[in-house]
Coordinates of all heavy atoms in Angstrom, one line a residue:
L38 N -18.6 -108.4 113.1 CA -18.4 -108.3 111.6 C -19.1 -107.0 111.0 O -18.5 -106.4 110.2 CB -19.1 -109.5 111.0 CG -19.0 -109.7 109.4 CD1 -17.6 -109.7 109.0 CD2 -19.8 -110.9 108.9
V39 N -20.3 -106.7 111.6 CA -21.0 -105.5 111.1 C -20.2 -104.3 111.4 O -20.1 -103.4 110.6 CB -22.5 -105.5 111.7 CG1 -23.1 -104.1 111.4 CG2 -23.3 -106.6 111.1
A40 N -19.7 -104.3 112.6 CA -18.9 -103.1 113.1 C -17.6 -103.0 112.2 O -17.2 -101.9 111.8 CB -18.5 -103.3 114.6
G41 N -17.0 -104.1 111.9 CA -15.8 -104.1 111.1 C -16.1 -103.5 109.7 O -15.4 -102.7 109.2
L42 N -17.3 -104.1 109.2 CA -17.7 -103.6 107.8 C -18.0 -102.1 107.8 O -17.7 -101.4 106.9 CB -18.9 -104.4 107.3 CG -18.6 -105.9 107.0 CD1 -19.9 -106.6 106.7 CD2 -17.6 -106.0 105.8
A43 N -18.6 -101.7 109.0 CA -19.0 -100.2 109.1 C -17.7 -99.4 109.1 O -17.6 -98.3 108.5 CB -19.8 -100.0 110.3
V44 N -16.7 -99.9 109.9 CA -15.5 -99.1 110.0 C -14.7 -99.1 108.6 O -14.3 -98.0 108.2 CB -14.5 -99.8 111.0 CG1 -13.1 -99.2 110.9 CG2 -15.1 -99.6 112.4
V45 N -14.8 -100.2 107.9 CA -14.2 -100.2 106.6 C -14.9 -99.3 105.6 O -14.3 -98.5 104.9 CB -14.2 -101.7 106.0 CG1 -13.7 -101.7 104.5 CG2 -13.3 -102.6 106.8
A46 N -16.3 -99.4 105.7 CA -17.1 -98.5 104.9 C -16.8 -97.1 105.2 O -16.7 -96.2 104.3 CB -18.6 -98.9 105.0
L47 N -16.7 -96.7 106.5 CA -16.5 -95.4 106.9 C -15.1 -94.9 106.4 O -15.0 -93.8 105.8 CB -16.6 -95.2 108.4 CG -16.4 -93.8 109.0 CD1 -17.4 -92.8 108.4 CD2 -16.4 -93.8 110.5
G48 N -14.1 -95.7 106.6 CA -12.8 -95.4 106.1 C -12.8 -95.2 104.6 O -12.1 -94.3 104.1
T49 N -13.5 -96.2 103.9 CA -13.5 -96.0 102.5 C -14.2 -94.7 102.0 O -13.8 -94.0 101.1 CB -14.3 -97.2 101.8 OG1 -13.6 -98.4 102.3 CG2 -14.3 -97.1 100.3
T50 N -15.3 -94.4 102.7 CA -16.1 -93.2 102.4 C -15.2 -92.0 102.7 O -15.2 -91.0 101.9 CB -17.3 -93.1 103.3 OG1 -18.1 -94.3 103.0 CG2 -18.1 -91.8 103.0
V51 N -14.5 -92.0 103.8 CA -13.6 -90.8 104.2 C -12.6 -90.7 103.1 O -12.2 -89.6 102.7 CB -13.0 -91.0 105.6 CG1 -11.9 -90.0 105.8 CG2 -14.1 -90.9 106.7
E52 N -12.0 -91.9 102.7 CA -10.9 -91.8 101.7 C -11.4 -91.3 100.4 O -10.8 -90.4 99.7 CB -10.3 -93.2 101.5 CG -9.2 -93.3 100.5 CD -8.0 -92.4 100.9 OE1 -7.8 -92.1 102.1 OE2 -7.3 -92.0 99.9
I53 N -12.6 -91.8 99.9 CA -13.2 -91.4 98.7 C -13.5 -89.9 98.7 O -13.2 -89.2 97.7 CB -14.4 -92.2 98.3 CG1 -13.9 -93.7 98.0 CG2 -15.1 -91.7 97.1 CD1 -15.1 -94.7 97.8
T54 N -14.2 -89.5 99.8 CA -14.6 -88.1 99.8 C -13.5 -87.1 100.1 O -13.6 -85.9 100.0 CB -15.6 -87.9 101.0 OG1 -15.1 -88.3 102.2 CG2 -16.9 -88.7 100.6
S55 N -12.3 -87.7 100.4 CA -11.1 -86.8 100.6 C -10.4 -86.6 99.3 O -9.4 -85.8 99.2 CB -10.2 -87.4 101.6 OG -10.8 -87.5 102.9
Q56 N -10.7 -87.3 98.2 CA -10.1 -87.1 97.0 C -10.6 -85.9 96.2 O -11.8 -85.6 96.1 CB -10.3 -88.4 96.1 CG -9.7 -89.6 96.7 CD -8.2 -89.5 97.0 OE1 -7.5 -89.1 96.2 NE2 -7.8 -89.9 98.2
P57 N -9.7 -85.1 95.5 CA -10.2 -84.0 94.7 C -11.2 -84.4 93.6 O -12.0 -83.6 93.3 CB -8.8 -83.4 94.1 CG -7.8 -83.9 95.1 CD -8.3 -85.3 95.5
D58 N -11.0 -85.6 93.1 CA -12.0 -86.0 92.0 C -13.4 -86.0 92.5 O -14.3 -85.7 91.8 CB -11.6 -87.3 91.5 CG -10.3 -87.3 90.7 OD1 -9.9 -86.2 90.3 OD2 -9.7 -88.4 90.5
F59 N -13.5 -86.5 93.8 CA -14.9 -86.5 94.4 C -15.5 -85.0 94.5 O -16.6 -84.8 94.2 CB -14.9 -87.1 95.8 CG -16.2 -87.2 96.4 CD1 -17.1 -88.1 96.1 CD2 -16.5 -86.2 97.4 CE1 -18.4 -88.2 96.7 CE2 -17.7 -86.3 98.0 CZ -18.7 -87.3 97.7
C60 N -14.6 -84.1 94.9 CA -15.1 -82.7 95.0 C -15.5 -82.2 93.6 O -16.5 -81.5 93.4 CB -14.0 -81.8 95.5 SG -13.4 -82.3 97.1
G61 N -14.7 -82.6 92.5 CA -15.1 -82.1 91.2 C -16.3 -82.8 90.6 O -16.7 -82.4 89.5
S62 N -16.7 -83.9 91.2 CA -17.9 -84.6 90.6 C -19.2 -83.8 90.7 O -20.1 -84.1 90.0 CB -18.1 -85.9 91.3 OG -18.4 -85.8 92.7
C63 N -19.2 -82.8 91.6 CA -20.4 -82.0 91.7 C -20.3 -80.8 90.7 O -19.3 -80.1 90.6 CB -20.5 -81.4 93.2 SG -21.9 -80.3 93.4
H64 N -21.3 -80.6 89.9 CA -21.2 -79.7 88.8 C -21.0 -78.2 89.3 O -20.4 -77.4 88.6 CB -22.4 -79.8 87.8 CG -23.7 -79.2 88.4 ND1 -24.5 -79.9 89.2 CD2 -24.2 -78.0 88.3 CE1 -25.6 -79.2 89.5 NE2 -25.4 -78.0 89.0
I65 N -21.5 -77.9 90.4 CA -21.3 -76.5 90.9 C -19.9 -76.3 91.4 O -19.5 -75.2 91.6 CB -22.3 -76.2 92.0 CG1 -22.1 -77.1 93.2 CG2 -23.7 -76.2 91.5 CD1 -22.9 -76.7 94.5
M66 N -19.1 -77.4 91.6 CA -17.7 -77.2 92.0 C -16.7 -77.3 90.9 O -15.6 -77.2 91.1 CB -17.4 -78.4 93.1 CG -18.2 -78.3 94.3 SD -17.9 -76.7 95.2 CE -16.1 -76.9 95.6
K67 N -17.2 -77.6 89.6 CA -16.4 -77.8 88.5 C -15.4 -76.6 88.3 O -14.2 -76.7 88.0 CB -17.1 -78.1 87.3 CG -17.6 -79.5 87.3 CD -18.2 -79.9 85.9 CE -18.7 -81.4 85.9 NZ -17.6 -82.3 86.2
P68 N -15.9 -75.3 88.3 CA -15.0 -74.2 88.1 C -13.9 -74.1 89.1 O -12.7 -73.8 88.8 CB -15.9 -72.9 88.2 CG -17.3 -73.5 88.0 CD -17.3 -74.8 88.5
Y69 N -14.2 -74.5 90.4 CA -13.2 -74.4 91.4 C -12.2 -75.6 91.2 O -10.9 -75.5 91.4 CB -13.8 -74.5 92.8 CG -14.8 -73.4 93.0 CD1 -16.2 -73.5 92.7 CD2 -14.4 -72.2 93.6 CE1 -17.1 -72.5 92.9 CE2 -15.3 -71.2 93.8 CZ -16.6 -71.3 93.5 OH -17.5 -70.3 93.7

Side-chain angles (χ1 to χ4, degrees):
L38 180 60
V39 170
L42 291 174
V44 170
V45 172
L47 179 62
T49 302
T50 301
V51 170
E52 179 63 24
I53 292 175
T54 58
S55 297
Q56 298 302 314
D58 292 341
F59 178 80
C60 302
S62 64
C63 177
H64 72 275
I65 62 173
M66 296 298 297
K67 285 190 180 297
Y69 302 89

